[in-house]
């Protein structure tokens, strides 16, 4: 059994998991409108760090700094020696140090833009002797990284996996999403009839896993996970939700819908993503299970999203809470799904986490607290 032993969220909403969860439960967001930022001619809405308040590390980029800060806080909750050869660092990111390509970027060696080099900088900070593993699979990177970590632990390749998801925003990234006409000029509204696009965000999140024979009553288990690619289109999701549907069914296995507290979806607020997820959730027989999205609090944090949203979902179940979908008011998808607009109570101990991304990639993971009672 794969057990969660520690975690941390390092974001504009807070530098600890507890602070982030408290902020989200209270309905707070750091989404702001930016004009003239990063040399971009068009305004955008995003959740960005105030870098004057972030403890920067000498010799490390912004991206490497937040990844290290998050991992450091998660490791501090454990007795793990991060320098052990039995510990593996797994880094989830979509763009890493891509901002170093911008003309106004800080000066670092050219190879730092390579994801593998950045990952080695992070793991070397902790004295880890292993080659770190980089997972960069569009928006599903954070779940892909956790699924890979599960498999590596189960196979005996390592005893402990430190999974870090991180991304920072830049001219390169934001202009790219603007060119796709995918960004909302206002705060995003997942699954809402008035949604017009997504917001971007910055964050780092870390979750640490190991293997045990028996899960304790108050411990979290990563039960199963699946990645399915329907190869529908380079940027548009499948109209039938095929890949997401197949990932859901594979991850759920024999788990009945009645045992799920909620499905934490990708919920980016784009017209096609939310529609596709509604189709997939409905096809999978989960239309009566509460659904929520956390993008209204953080925006789309890209490589961090799968890790960050998993941790917050665990915190919510610990608290007997289904977090509300900030920005949602009226259902704007064609298939019936039960979107939680406000915080709700729950006594259930399992949830399903979904992500979908460019190229038709889809991922689903099932988590349960304490195993079956």
């Amino acid at each position: 059994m794969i057990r969660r032993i520690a975690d941390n969220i390092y974001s504009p909403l807070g530098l600890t998991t507890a602070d982030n969860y408290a902020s989200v439960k209270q309905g707070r967001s750091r989404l702001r409108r930016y004009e003239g930022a990063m040399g971009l001619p068009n305004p955008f809405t995003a959740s960005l760090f105030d870098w004057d308040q972030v403890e920067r590390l000498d010799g490390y980029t912004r991206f490497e700094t937040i990844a290290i800060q998050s991992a450091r806080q998660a490791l501090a909750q454990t007795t793990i020696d991060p320098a052990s050869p039995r510990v593996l660092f797994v880094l989830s990111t979509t763009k890493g140090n891509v901002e170093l390509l911008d003309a106004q970027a800080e000066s670092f060696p050219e190879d730092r833009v390579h994801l593998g080099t950045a990952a080695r900088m992070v793991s070397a900070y902790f004295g880890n002797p292993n080659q770190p593993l980089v997972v960069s699979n569009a928006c599903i990177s954070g779940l892909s990284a956790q699924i890979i970590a599960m498999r590596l632990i189960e196979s005996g390749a390592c005893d402990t996996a430190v999974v870090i998801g991180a991304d920072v925003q830049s001219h390169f990234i934001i202009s790219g999403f603007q060119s796709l006409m995918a960004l909302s000029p206002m705060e995003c509204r997942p699954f809402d009839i008035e949604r017009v696009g997504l917001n971007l965000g910055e964050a780092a999140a870390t979750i640490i896993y190991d293997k045990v024979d028996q899960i304790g009553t108050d411990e979290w288990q990563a039960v199963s996970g699946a990645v399915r690619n329907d190869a529908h289109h380079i940027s548009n999701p499948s109209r039938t939700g095929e890949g997401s549907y197949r990932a859901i069914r594979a991850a759920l296995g024999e788990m009945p819908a009645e045992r799920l507290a909620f499905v934490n979806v990708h919920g980016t607020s784009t017209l096609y993503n939310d529609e596709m997820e509604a189709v997939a959730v409905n096809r999978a027989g989960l239309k009566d299970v509460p659904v929520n999205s956390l993008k209204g609090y953080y925006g789309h944090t890209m490589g961090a999203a799968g890790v960050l949203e998993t941790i917050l979902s665990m915190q919510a179940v610990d608290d007997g809470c289904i977090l509300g979908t900030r920005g949602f008011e009226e259902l704007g998808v064609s298939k019936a799904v039960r979107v939680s607009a406000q915080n709700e109570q729950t006594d259930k101990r399992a949830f399903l986490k979904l992500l979908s991304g460019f190229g038709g990639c889809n991922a689903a993971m099932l988590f349960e607290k304490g195993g079956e009672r």
Side-chain angles (χ1 to χ4, degrees), residues 301-322:
T301 55
M302 306 196 318
V307 184
L308 182 155
E309 293 169 8
T310 293
I311 295 169
L312 280 179
S313 296
M314 289 177 174
Q315 290 289 311
V317 172
D318 288 345
D319 192 31
C321 179
I322 302 169

Short mmCIF file of all heavy atoms in Angstrom, two decimals, residues 301-322:
data_model
loop_
_atom_site.label_atom_id
_atom_site.label_comp_id
_atom_site.label_asym_id
_atom_site.label_seq_id
_atom_site.Cartn_x
_atom_site.Cartn_y
_atom_site.Cartn_z
N THR A 301 -2.27 26.15 -12.17
CA THR A 301 -0.87 26.17 -11.75
C THR A 301 -0.02 25.15 -12.52
O THR A 301 1.10 24.84 -12.12
CB THR A 301 -0.76 25.92 -10.24
OG1 THR A 301 -1.43 24.69 -9.90
CG2 THR A 301 -1.38 27.07 -9.46
N MET A 302 -0.59 24.61 -13.58
CA MET A 302 0.14 23.78 -14.54
C MET A 302 0.80 22.57 -13.88
O MET A 302 0.10 21.72 -13.35
CB MET A 302 1.12 24.65 -15.32
CG MET A 302 0.41 25.84 -15.97
SD MET A 302 1.28 26.74 -17.28
CE MET A 302 2.93 26.86 -16.71
N GLY A 303 2.12 22.48 -13.84
CA GLY A 303 2.77 21.31 -13.28
C GLY A 303 2.53 21.10 -11.81
O GLY A 303 2.70 19.99 -11.29
N ALA A 304 2.12 22.14 -11.11
CA ALA A 304 1.82 22.03 -9.68
C ALA A 304 0.39 21.56 -9.42
O ALA A 304 0.08 21.07 -8.33
CB ALA A 304 2.05 23.38 -8.98
N ALA A 305 -0.50 21.72 -10.41
CA ALA A 305 -1.94 21.55 -10.18
C ALA A 305 -2.30 20.19 -9.60
O ALA A 305 -3.05 20.09 -8.62
CB ALA A 305 -2.71 21.81 -11.47
N GLY A 306 -1.78 19.12 -10.19
CA GLY A 306 -2.16 17.79 -9.75
C GLY A 306 -1.73 17.49 -8.33
O GLY A 306 -2.44 16.78 -7.60
N VAL A 307 -0.59 18.00 -7.91
CA VAL A 307 -0.10 17.77 -6.55
C VAL A 307 -0.83 18.68 -5.57
O VAL A 307 -1.34 18.23 -4.53
CB VAL A 307 1.42 17.99 -6.48
CG1 VAL A 307 1.94 17.66 -5.08
CG2 VAL A 307 2.14 17.15 -7.53
N LEU A 308 -0.90 19.97 -5.89
CA LEU A 308 -1.56 20.94 -5.03
C LEU A 308 -3.02 20.56 -4.78
O LEU A 308 -3.49 20.56 -3.62
CB LEU A 308 -1.47 22.33 -5.68
CG LEU A 308 -2.05 23.54 -4.96
CD1 LEU A 308 -1.33 24.81 -5.43
CD2 LEU A 308 -3.54 23.71 -5.18
N GLU A 309 -3.75 20.23 -5.83
CA GLU A 309 -5.17 19.94 -5.68
C GLU A 309 -5.43 18.61 -4.98
O GLU A 309 -6.44 18.43 -4.31
CB GLU A 309 -5.84 20.03 -7.05
CG GLU A 309 -5.82 21.46 -7.59
CD GLU A 309 -6.22 21.58 -9.05
OE1 GLU A 309 -6.66 20.57 -9.64
OE2 GLU A 309 -6.11 22.70 -9.60
N THR A 310 -4.50 17.66 -5.11
CA THR A 310 -4.59 16.42 -4.35
C THR A 310 -4.45 16.69 -2.86
O THR A 310 -5.24 16.20 -2.04
CB THR A 310 -3.50 15.43 -4.81
OG1 THR A 310 -3.75 15.02 -6.15
CG2 THR A 310 -3.45 14.21 -3.90
N ILE A 311 -3.47 17.49 -2.50
CA ILE A 311 -3.23 17.80 -1.09
C ILE A 311 -4.43 18.53 -0.49
O ILE A 311 -4.90 18.19 0.61
CB ILE A 311 -1.95 18.64 -0.92
CG1 ILE A 311 -0.73 17.84 -1.35
CG2 ILE A 311 -1.80 19.12 0.51
CD1 ILE A 311 0.54 18.68 -1.48
N LEU A 312 -4.96 19.54 -1.19
CA LEU A 312 -6.11 20.27 -0.68
C LEU A 312 -7.32 19.37 -0.54
O LEU A 312 -8.11 19.51 0.41
CB LEU A 312 -6.44 21.45 -1.59
CG LEU A 312 -5.59 22.70 -1.42
CD1 LEU A 312 -6.02 23.76 -2.42
CD2 LEU A 312 -5.69 23.27 -0.01
N SER A 313 -7.50 18.44 -1.46
CA SER A 313 -8.63 17.51 -1.37
C SER A 313 -8.48 16.60 -0.16
O SER A 313 -9.47 16.30 0.52
CB SER A 313 -8.74 16.69 -2.66
OG SER A 313 -9.04 17.53 -3.76
N MET A 314 -7.27 16.15 0.14
CA MET A 314 -7.04 15.36 1.35
C MET A 314 -7.38 16.17 2.59
O MET A 314 -8.03 15.68 3.53
CB MET A 314 -5.58 14.90 1.40
CG MET A 314 -5.21 13.84 0.39
SD MET A 314 -3.43 13.43 0.48
CE MET A 314 -3.34 12.06 -0.68
N GLN A 315 -6.93 17.42 2.62
CA GLN A 315 -7.23 18.29 3.76
C GLN A 315 -8.73 18.46 3.93
O GLN A 315 -9.24 18.49 5.06
CB GLN A 315 -6.57 19.65 3.55
CG GLN A 315 -5.06 19.65 3.65
CD GLN A 315 -4.58 19.44 5.07
OE1 GLN A 315 -5.03 20.12 6.00
NE2 GLN A 315 -3.66 18.52 5.26
N ALA A 316 -9.44 18.61 2.83
CA ALA A 316 -10.89 18.80 2.89
C ALA A 316 -11.58 17.58 3.50
O ALA A 316 -12.44 17.72 4.38
CB ALA A 316 -11.44 19.10 1.51
N VAL A 317 -11.22 16.39 3.04
CA VAL A 317 -11.82 15.18 3.59
C VAL A 317 -11.47 15.05 5.07
O VAL A 317 -12.32 14.67 5.90
CB VAL A 317 -11.39 13.94 2.79
CG1 VAL A 317 -11.86 12.66 3.49
CG2 VAL A 317 -11.94 13.99 1.38
N ASP A 318 -10.23 15.36 5.45
CA ASP A 318 -9.85 15.36 6.86
C ASP A 318 -10.77 16.25 7.69
O ASP A 318 -11.07 15.96 8.85
CB ASP A 318 -8.40 15.85 7.03
CG ASP A 318 -7.37 14.85 6.56
OD1 ASP A 318 -7.72 13.66 6.37
OD2 ASP A 318 -6.20 15.24 6.37
N ASP A 319 -11.20 17.34 7.07
CA ASP A 319 -12.04 18.34 7.73
C ASP A 319 -13.53 18.07 7.55
O ASP A 319 -14.37 18.85 8.00
CB ASP A 319 -11.69 19.72 7.16
CG ASP A 319 -12.26 20.87 7.95
OD1 ASP A 319 -12.42 20.74 9.19
OD2 ASP A 319 -12.57 21.92 7.34
N GLY A 320 -13.87 16.97 6.88
CA GLY A 320 -15.28 16.66 6.62
C GLY A 320 -15.95 17.67 5.72
O GLY A 320 -17.14 17.98 5.87
N CYS A 321 -15.18 18.18 4.73
CA CYS A 321 -15.65 19.29 3.92
C CYS A 321 -15.49 18.99 2.43
O CYS A 321 -14.51 18.36 2.01
CB CYS A 321 -14.86 20.55 4.28
SG CYS A 321 -15.30 22.02 3.33
N ILE A 322 -16.45 19.43 1.64
CA ILE A 322 -16.32 19.48 0.19
C ILE A 322 -16.15 20.96 -0.16
O ILE A 322 -17.07 21.76 0.06
CB ILE A 322 -17.57 18.92 -0.52
CG1 ILE A 322 -17.82 17.47 -0.10
CG2 ILE A 322 -17.40 19.02 -2.04
CD1 ILE A 322 -19.17 16.94 -0.53
#
